[in-house]
Amino acid sequence: VGLKHPSIAPYGSFVCSDGREVVLSIQNEREWAQFCQMVLKKPEMAAHPKFSSNAARVDNRQELEEIIQAVFGKLSYTAAIDLLIEAQTAFGSINSVYDLIEHPQLRTKEMDVHGMKVHVPANPFMMEWDAESFPPIPPIGAMRESNHHAESFHGYHTFHR
């Protein structure tokens, strides 16, 4: 089945003109009508007997996907996403490793680790009081010495060897 759904159509991945892929999921007739009008620019498709219901679209999946692919093949990824947002169509992106690394919610902050600058995962959001980097990692044993061998740390009992 891959990225397709056995009982929903259209549902799956389509390649844009720049090679990026978008995954669609149209699950009701309102979404289908808006998709036909705003994305495909073919409002008459919503009422066509081959595509007027989900069951008909599933039965004619190959032809349907060819029509959709022809449209997406002429749109850049950004243009396709803009149209899908405007049409309120559920979609997802298939990201490359580079896209994933560059995603703003997977940001990192620098931290000094024993004299080396290391990029450490950070919260996906920033607050105005957040520092640009994490404080340096303390030297080995520094926390133990600063706690004066405390028997409890944040309510957890600690054991010493």
Side-chain angles (χ1 to χ4, degrees), residues 15-155:
V15 182
C16 298
S17 64
D18 52 11
R20 300 234 13 222
E21 292 181 70
V22 177
V23 178
L24 298 180
S25 172
I26 296 181
Q27 299 186 36
N28 62 52
E29 302 317 313
R30 179 196 55 79
E31 289 177 0
W32 172 241
Q34 283 184 248
F35 179 77
C36 289
Q37 180 177 343
M38 301 172 88
V39 179
L40 298 180
K41 308 292 187 207
K42 298 178 182 186
E44 68 281 0
M45 270 188 70
H48 191 287
K50 287 184 175 180
F51 310 118
S52 62
S53 70
N54 183 63
R57 291 190 297 273
V58 169
D59 288 344
N60 296 287
R61 182 188 304 269
Q62 183 173 347
E63 183 179 352
L64 174 64
E65 289 179 352
E66 288 170 2
I67 293 167
I68 295 170
Q69 182 55 64
V71 171
F72 275 74
K74 294 176 185 171
L75 297 171
S76 69
Y77 171 80
T78 304
I81 296 304
D82 289 346
L83 287 173
L84 291 167
I85 290 170
E86 184 181 346
Q88 299 181 351
T89 301
F91 71 91
S93 301
I94 297 179
N95 294 315
S96 68
V97 172
Y98 177 80
D99 295 329
L100 198 58
I101 290 169
E102 292 299 313
H103 197 282
Q105 290 190 348
L106 297 176
R107 67 186 192 89
T108 61
K109 287 170 75 172
E110 274 192 1
M111 175 183 250
D112 183 32
V113 178
H114 307 299
M116 297 184 318
K117 295 289 182 197
V118 177
H119 289 269
V120 178
N123 286 329
F125 55 87
M126 280 189 74
M127 304 303 269
E128 60 190 45
W129 55 81
D130 283 348
E132 290 291 318
S133 61
F134 287 118
I137 191 168
I140 295 174
M143 295 305 291
R144 184 176 17 155
E145 292 167 13
S146 69
N147 286 330
H148 303 290
H149 300 284
E151 293 298 319
S152 176
F153 182 71
H154 293 294

